[in-house]
Amino acid sequence: MDFIISEEQQMIRQAARDFAKNECLPGVIQRDEQQKFPKEQIMKLGELGFMGMMVDPKYGGSGLDTVSYVLAMEEISKIDASTSVCMSVNNSLVCWGIQEFGNDAQKEKYLTPLAMGQKDGELYIGAFLLSEPEAGSDATSQKTMAEDRGDHYLLNGTKNWITNGASASVYLVIAQTDPAKKSNGINVFIVERDTPGVEVAPKENKLGIRGSDTTSVMFTDVVVPKENRIGEDGFGFKFAMKTLAGGRIGIASQALGIASGAYELSLAYAKQRKAFGKEIMHHQAIQFKLADMATRIDASRLMCLKAASDKDNGRDYTLSSSMAKVFSSETAMWTATEAVQIHGGYGFVKEYHVERLMRDAKITQIYEGTSEVQRIVIGRTILK
Ligand code: CAA
């Protein structure tokens, strides 16, 4: 077994680290306070090739592997999880879904600008619309209907908790076309945001990842051309599950980044902060916390890289991505909470960053499948 990261992968990690420090850190507290979408950062990430990392260069992507994606996601997430979720959704839910299952015309028209994060100098990103007011974990209970009208579908319904809801130009919408067939009567459509009948609700006022925009999206008699359906009739639920398995690697590495960001800040603080006559790192109570953080983070990183390597090498990654996600997100929540504790009163104020990381960590246990859903996936797989 080889744990060596290649020179190219190291360069990508360094580029992401530099980007996070130089472009994401300035203003990260203000963007969080003001719920300001990191548009400038996303545009620059697009220029650097980070918005379509695994997309074929023929379609404007960087043609990199999933391991490189995990390394980049960790670095960006250490500093700015609002930016990294936008990057994750665009890369692994939207671009990957179209690349893997879309036809040539769909790739030509949509994948190329999505992978570049821009079109004609304007932001151009995607969103993945599966969740509904009554279909979150229970994703087969889709109420959004796409009625087959011959050469087009007529789309009606409401989606909620949509990351990039207000900023995306392209939506991948999962909808029911034949309720009698249950999960086999679900399809996925590419819907352009400016299609008549599409309405975006105001941004949710959230606990964490406040820079990212999360909205509901309503569809009223939206005409979707037949050529915008991805895959065979009835493929939509499998599309969602397969795409989410890769998405969970992105969120697992986001959680890993939040944890390692909180750990690095705690380590630096413990080295300089003095109490009872010595730096607090010399107190065993603090040292043990740091030791546990480092151990759990190392395990998370290995799990993320294992899931990425499974994907890159054509192995089934449903199990390893769910395991990486549940473990990394629980590590992020625990580590960020302990980071606030190590910082004491300073940890409770915004300037020290760890309170934001603690708030940002929580969502990693919820989106792209809650920790409970990951345990369902893991349980079903190991019991097969
Ligand atoms: N790959 C391929 N097919 C799969 C699959 C996979 N990984 N998982 C399930 N399927 C297939 C099943 O084989 C089954 O097919 P057949 O009917 O042909 O046998 C079909 O899909 C239905 O599967 P289940 O019977 O297992 O479905 P279920 O109702 O029991 O649900 C679940 C399973 C795992 C709980 C699933 O509903 C799930 O993953 N829920 C969570 C959804 C989720 O992650 N939501 C997050 C929203 S997106 C988001 O957060 C994005 C964002 O903006 C950040």
Side-chain angles (χ1 to χ4, degrees), residues 115-130:
M116 293 164 67
Q118 50 183 291
K119 188 177 171 186
D120 303 328
E122 294 295 325
L123 182 77
Y124 196 92
I125 56 171
F128 184 83
L129 286 70
L130 173 68

Side-chain angles (χ1 to χ4, degrees), residues 5-20 48-50 53 62-73 75-76 87:
I5 292 190
S6 75
E7 239 172 76
E8 191 196 23
Q9 289 163 339
Q10 286 179 44
M11 277 168 56
I12 289 155
R13 180 170 59 187
Q14 189 59 47
R17 191 173 288 169
D18 292 343
F19 182 86
L48 288 172
F50 282 113
M53 290 187 73
S62 301
L64 295 167
D65 58 8
T66 317
V67 167
S68 303
Y69 171 56
V70 165
L71 297 173
M73 275 296 297
E75 293 305 323
I76 307 289
M87 171 178 158

Side-chain angles (χ1 to χ4, degrees), residues 131 137 139-140 163 184 237-238 241 244 248 367-369 380:
S131 301
S137 294
T140 51
T163 304
N184 291 311
F237 191 73
K238 288 192 173 63
M241 292 297 109
L244 275 167
R248 288 166 186 165
Y367 57 21
E368 299 203 23
R380 285 181 184 180

Side-chain angles (χ1 to χ4, degrees), residues 85 89 93 128 130-131 136-140 161-163 183-184 237-238 241-242 244-245 248 251 318 366-370 373-374 376-377 380:
V85 69
V89 167
L93 293 184
F128 184 83
L130 173 68
S131 301
S137 294
D138 184 9
T140 51
W161 314 126
I162 305 307
T163 304
S183 69
N184 291 311
F237 191 73
K238 288 192 173 63
M241 292 297 109
K242 284 170 186 278
L244 275 167
R248 288 166 186 165
I251 300 305
T318 316
I366 299 173
Y367 57 21
E368 299 203 23
T370 60
V373 161
Q374 305 313 323
I376 292 176
V377 174
R380 285 181 184 180

